[in-house]
């Protein structure tokens, strides 16, 4: 009889990484499913990035490298953090990881003792609580609401802090809501972090995908006291359409960074060497490709939000960033899984239930998909909502 460690037995599989079996079966049967589940840009990686990786391969850059990442990449990241974010890290304060995900995982491993508390505002990216649990920490979920724009308020943060609190995970722009904290809101959160002397992990993976003048401010850039308490996490996946390359990074206080280097040296070693050369090219070449993809997302977002605005009974926080819209379905009388199951079965539209993000009265649609899928999918969603409205009189 095989017995698994309890640390993994209590962790559910990731609801967003794969299509649900029913949607897969529908696609296999040749059905036309409108898929709004992607957590990744649908664009190909820009050519110059691919060329740099190909060249690295041809030049034999296929050996082990330093576990913390190639020095020229760490230097390019330190420069980027200085120029774009106003964060003064030396290359030695940077670790290159297998995506932003491994940065976050590593941080929980090196920072948490059993029972340490980590404050996570909900709706949250679904892996945060599981990573905390895998490190034997305790996720302290703080719900956020429509009236505060789905943002954690400084008062909520203050109230949640106990002697066991180690850190806050802050994610702006947010997955799943797309909300972006304003610079003032970031400063107000930073103030509480400093007063209470806790750490903040700032997940800035969507920082370049912004709309309607939304401004991204790195919490570590708000003051030297905040900087000392911040670990900045970012990556190449979303900005450069490089999800499969698995290159991300963290930067923070030297003591934490050194601990992550040690952990990485005994777990994964370096990120794929030639992928790191692609990442260097991503940072060193023109950033036009980033703006082109952002503009494409902006057009899709426009189409999607306009169509949603015409559906009675649904509401959502205005997404200032990322490529998601998080729709409040509470008036349907259905929970998020029922809503998504029925939507898939009756209209062949695949969305992600909000329960995965700690909000069971919401669903997440991703607009990292083409305009035709958005057009067709929204017609179907409208029909679905009309049927639900007719059957339970709740939405109208
Ligand atoms: N953080 C957030 C909020 C995300 O949505 C994701 C991916 O979906 C990640 C981190 C991890 O990204 P990656 O590991 O691909 O760099």
């Amino acid at each position: 009889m095989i017995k698994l460690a309890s640390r993994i037995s209590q962790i559910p599989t990731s609801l967003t990484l794969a299509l649900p079996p029913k949607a897969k079966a529908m696609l296999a049967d040749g059905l036309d499913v409108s898929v709004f589940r992607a957590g990744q840009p649908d664009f190909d990686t820009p050519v110059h990035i691919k060329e740099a990786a190909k060249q690295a391969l041809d030049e034999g850059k296929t050996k082990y490298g330093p576990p913390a990442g190639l020095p020229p990449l760490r230097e390019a990241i330190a420069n980027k953090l200085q120029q774009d974010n106003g964060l003064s890290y030396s290359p030695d304060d940077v670790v290159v990881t297998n995506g932003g995900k491994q940065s976050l995982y590593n941080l929980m491993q090196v920072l948490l003792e059993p029972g340490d508390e980590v404050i996570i505002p909900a709706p949250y990216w679904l892996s945060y609580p599981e990573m905390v649990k895998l490190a034997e920490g305790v996720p302290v979920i703080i719900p956020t609401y429509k009236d505060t724009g789905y943002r954690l308020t400084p008062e909520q943060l203050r109230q949640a802090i106990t002697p066991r609190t180690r850190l806050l995970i802050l994610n702006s722009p947010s997955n799943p809501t797309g909300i972006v904290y304003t610079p003032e809101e970031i400063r107000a959160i930073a103030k509480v972090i400093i007063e209470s002397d806790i750490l903040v992990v700032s997940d800035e993976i969507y920082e370049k995908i912004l709309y309607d003048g939304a401004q991204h401010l790195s919490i570590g850039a708000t003051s030297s006291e905040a900087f000392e308490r911040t670990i900045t996490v970012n990556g190449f996946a979303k900005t450069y359409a490089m999800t499969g390359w698995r290159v991300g990074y963290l930067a923070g206080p030297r003591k934490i960074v050194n601990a992550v280097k040690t952990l990485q040296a005994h777990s994964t070693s370096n990120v794929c060497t030639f992928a790191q050369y692609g990442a260097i090219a991503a940072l060193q070449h023109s950033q036009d490709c980033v703006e082109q993809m952002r503009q494409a997302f902006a057009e899709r977002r426009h189409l999607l939000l306009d169509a949603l605005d015409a559906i009675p009974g649904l509401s959502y926080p205005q997404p200032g960033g990322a490529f998601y819209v998080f729709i409040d379905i509470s008036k349907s009388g259905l929970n998020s899984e029922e809503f998504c199951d029925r939507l898939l079965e009756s209209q062949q539209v695949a969305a992600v239930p909000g329960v995965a993000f700690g909000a069971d009265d919401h669903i997440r649609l991703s607009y990292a998909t083409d305009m035709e899928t958005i057009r067709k999918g929204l017609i179907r969603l409208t029909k679905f909502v009309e049927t639900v409205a007719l059957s339970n009189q709740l939405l109208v």
Side-chain angles (χ1 to χ4, degrees), residues 169 346 362:
I169 302 183
S346 65
H362 287 70

Side-chain angles (χ1 to χ4, degrees), residues 2 19 23 30 32 36 55 63-64 66 82 95 119 130 148 157 169 212 252 254 283 296 302 330 343 369 377 384:
I2 296 169
L19 265 183
D32 172 22
F36 287 94
Q55 190 185 334
K63 304 281 191 278
Y64 290 135
Q82 179 71 66
V95 187
I119 297 176
E130 310 311 333
T148 51
L157 176 59
I169 302 183
D212 294 348
R254 188 69 59 89
L283 289 177
H302 199 263
S330 54
L343 180 61
T369 186
F384 175 74

Side-chain angles (χ1 to χ4, degrees), residues 9-26:
S9 314
Q10 52 164 351
I11 307 291
T13 56
S14 170
L15 268 177
T16 50
L17 277 186
L19 265 183
K22 202 173 284 166
K24 266 195 203 149
M26 285 174 149

Side-chain angles (χ1 to χ4, degrees), residues 39 98-101 104 125 128 171 175 203 205-206 237-238 246:
N98 278 282
K101 201 175 222 176
L104 294 159
W125 181 49
Y128 298 143
N171 174 218
N175 175 9
D203 179 349
I205 199 112
Y206 294 100
K238 319 285 179 178
R246 310 309 302 132

